[in-house]
């Protein structure tokens, strides 16, 4: 069966003054119905830009320069604004990383939460209100009826984040794109949201593209993981393989940088040296080379393509796949 979402050779650039700076280069991955795919990578690696492009929501300076974004076989990158509007919220819903911009300050939570259901599903106001309350409760909000009557500024950041999650789920989307949906939540609520997403995957076959920095969340929920670095995919595998046997030096460094509950606190946590290069879109060859333990002298540093050592697995580093260990 073809994937529900299939991103193929995606190229995104941003206008900076007179020139176009590539932000995402040749990114490809699939999300199947009933599957949770996690997109991970350091800040500035192109995760949000990739997600925003699916719904045509890049800022004015941003542009999809190439590739396809196939949803149910339709290339979203070629649709008009009106056509995309029919898909947004209903077929594909998104939880934005920046929640401050996602709720309208002058309308109550109830009116914002019920709007999509009335518009897209044609349900009555009363029915939408009941469903809104039910969804809020499922995200762990206790006094849902009261919260429905409040304005966004009257809620804490964590409450607003849960309202956004309820809103995204309200039209029963086939695909949910969630950009850091649990960052403002404490661990118990985070656990509840993870369980909610899992049950929607299992019961409704909802697909999820989940962007997160939290490897604990990935371990808990993801079926497959795509690792991005400097605007490219560097590794992809099923979650278990990726977490237990990461191959690419960047993925391995990411895993080493995850704090563990029982770590010796007198030992400093590993930090990946350096940072994502600023104008990475202009680099040739391996973009991780300046930070890689194998260093700038790596003989494979000019080889810049994804290799598939096994079905469902991709890695951009031939040396890692050769079985050599750098750690
Ligand atoms: N509005 C913009 N104008 C110009 N360049 C942008 C814009 N938004 C993103 N970019 C470029 O795209 C790159 C990727 O940004 P993106 O927001 O996708 O990163 P991210 O992986 O989501 O990071 P984070 O984990 O911090 O959310 C940035 O490094 C920046 O160069
Ligand atoms: Mg982001």
């Amino acid at each position: 069966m073809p994937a529900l979402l299939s991103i193929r050779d995606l190229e995104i650039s941003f206008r900076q003054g007179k020139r176009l700076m590539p932000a995402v280069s040749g990114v490809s991955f699939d999300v199947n119905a009933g599957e949770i795919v996690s997109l991970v990578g350091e800040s500035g690696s192109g995760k949000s830009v990739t997600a925003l492009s699916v719904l045509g929501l890049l800022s004015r300076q941003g542009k999809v320069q190439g590739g396809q974004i196939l949803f149910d076989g339709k290339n979203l990158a070629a649709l008009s604004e009106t056509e995309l509007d029919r898909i947004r919220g209903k077929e594909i819903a998104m939880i934005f990383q920046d929640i401050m911009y996602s709720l309208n300050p002058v309308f109550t939570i109830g009116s914002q939460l019920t709007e999509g259901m009335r518009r897209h599903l044609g349900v009555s106001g009363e029915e939408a209100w009941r469903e809104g309350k039910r969804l809020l409760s499922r995200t762990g909000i206790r006094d849902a009826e009261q919260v429905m009557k409040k304005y966004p500024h009257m809620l804490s950041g964590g409450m607003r984040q849960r309202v956004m999650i309820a809103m995204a789920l309200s039209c029963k989307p086939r695909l949910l794109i969630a950009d850091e949906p649990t960052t403002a939540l404490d661990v118990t609520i985070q656990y509840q949201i993870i369980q909610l997403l899992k049950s929607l995957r299992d019961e409704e076959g909802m697909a999820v593209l989940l962007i997160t920095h939290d490897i604990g969340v990935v371990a808990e929920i993801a079926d497959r993981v795509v690792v991005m670095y400097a605007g490219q995919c560097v590794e992809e595998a099923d979650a278990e393989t990726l977490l237990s046997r990461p191959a690419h030096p960047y993925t391995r460094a990411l895993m080493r940088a995850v704090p563990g509950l029982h770590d010796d606190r007198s030992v400093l946590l590993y930090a990946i040296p350096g940072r994502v290069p600023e104008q990475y879109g202009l680099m040739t060859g391996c973009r991780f080379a300046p930070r890689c333990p194998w260093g700038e002298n790596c003989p494979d540093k000019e080889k810049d393509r994804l290799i598939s050592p096994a079905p469902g697995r991709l890695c951009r580093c031939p040396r890692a796949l050769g079985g050599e260990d750098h750690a």
Side-chain angles (χ1 to χ4, degrees):
M1 216 169 64
L4 182 64
L5 175 73
S6 185
I7 295 184
R8 292 281 141 247
D9 307 314
L10 185 65
E11 304 278 339
I12 300 172
S13 295
F14 282 90
R15 182 161 294 286
Q16 282 180 4
K18 280 196 173 141
R19 58 183 191 166
L20 281 173
M21 192 56 70
V24 165
S25 317
V27 162
S28 300
F29 62 87
D30 290 346
V31 185
N32 296 304
E35 185 183 41
I36 300 180
V37 175
S38 190
L39 203 52
V40 301
E42 273 168 298
S43 191
S45 53
K47 307 179 300 293
S48 294
V49 163
T50 301
L52 288 167
S53 71
V54 173
L55 283 175
L57 294 172
L58 290 171
S59 67
R60 228 161 24 95
Q61 298 83 0
K63 195 168 179 339
V64 173
Q65 300 282 357
Q68 292 188 311
I69 302 168
L70 300 168
F71 178 72
D72 226 0
K74 232 184 281 162
N75 185 13
L76 301 184
L79 293 189
S80 69
E81 203 38 41
T82 325
E83 288 168 316
L84 268 178
D85 220 26
R86 273 190 227 121
I87 291 174
R88 285 186 196 128
K90 184 171 188 300
E91 304 267 338
I92 307 177
M94 181 149 180
I95 301 167
F96 295 92
Q97 182 170 20
D98 209 339
I99 53 167
M100 288 312 284
Y101 298 108
S102 314
L103 287 170
N104 191 325
V106 300
F107 292 107
T108 62
I109 299 301
S111 85
Q112 297 184 61
L113 183 51
T114 54
E115 193 206 334
M117 289 186 266
R118 284 184 281 132
R119 186 156 76 99
H120 287 304
L121 306 181
V123 300
S124 70
E126 207 178 313
E127 210 176 315
W129 189 269
R130 238 192 341 263
E131 180 59 14
K133 265 189 353 189
R134 196 183 68 87
L135 277 169
L136 284 183
S137 308
R138 285 192 84 180
T139 65
I141 288 182
R142 282 211 196 98
D143 202 353
E145 176 76 30
Q146 286 309 312
V147 170
M148 293 281 275
K149 293 177 187 155
K150 290 188 171 162
Y151 289 88
H153 75 271
M154 299 160 94
L155 304 180
S156 68
M159 292 270 259
R160 279 198 293 259
Q161 195 155 19
R162 283 181 277 170
V163 168
M164 288 308 307
I165 294 169
M167 210 184 274
L169 297 173
S170 66
C171 294
K172 299 190 175 18
R174 294 164 71 199
L175 171 67
L176 173 70
I177 301 177
D179 195 350
E180 300 281 1
T182 58
T183 37
L185 305 177
D186 63 53
V187 283
T188 40
I189 301 294
Q190 181 172 307
Y191 181 76
Q192 200 162 345
I193 299 297
I194 287 172
Q195 295 310 320
L196 173 61
L197 295 182
K198 269 184 178 174
S199 65
L200 291 169
R201 170 195 62 187
D202 299 339
E203 292 156 21
E204 321 268 348
M206 183 175 79
V208 184
L209 176 60
L210 176 74
I211 297 173
T212 181
H213 278 103
D214 191 333
I215 300 294
V217 170
V218 175
E220 189 65 43
I221 194 174
D223 297 307
R224 223 146 37 79
V225 187
V226 175
V227 184
M228 280 188 76
Y229 180 75
Q232 297 176 318
C233 293
V234 293
E235 187 163 1
E236 178 184 331
D238 65 84
E240 205 192 321
T241 306
L242 192 113
L243 295 172
S244 58
R245 293 188 306 283
H248 195 285
Y250 176 63
T251 318
R252 297 180 58 158
L254 261 191
M255 298 299 157
R256 274 184 73 193
V258 177
L261 188 59
H262 305 292
D263 286 354
D264 178 352
R265 285 199 278 171
S266 62
V267 179
L268 278 180
L269 186 66
Y270 174 75
I272 308 176
R275 56 157 94 157
V276 182
E278 257 168 36
Q279 302 200 328
Y280 56 68
L282 304 177
M283 294 172 83
T284 56
C286 172
R287 295 184 181 180
F288 188 57
R291 301 171 74 190
C292 181
W294 278 323
E296 290 274 25
N297 300 325
C298 174
D300 289 330
K301 127 177 149 71
E302 294 310 321
K303 296 181 188 155
D304 181 35
R305 66 181 181 88
L306 279 167
I307 305 160
S308 178
R313 183 148 209 204
L314 291 165
C315 177
R316 203 175 267 280
C317 177
R319 193 166 177 181
L321 292 173
E324 203 173 327
D325 202 346
H326 54 72

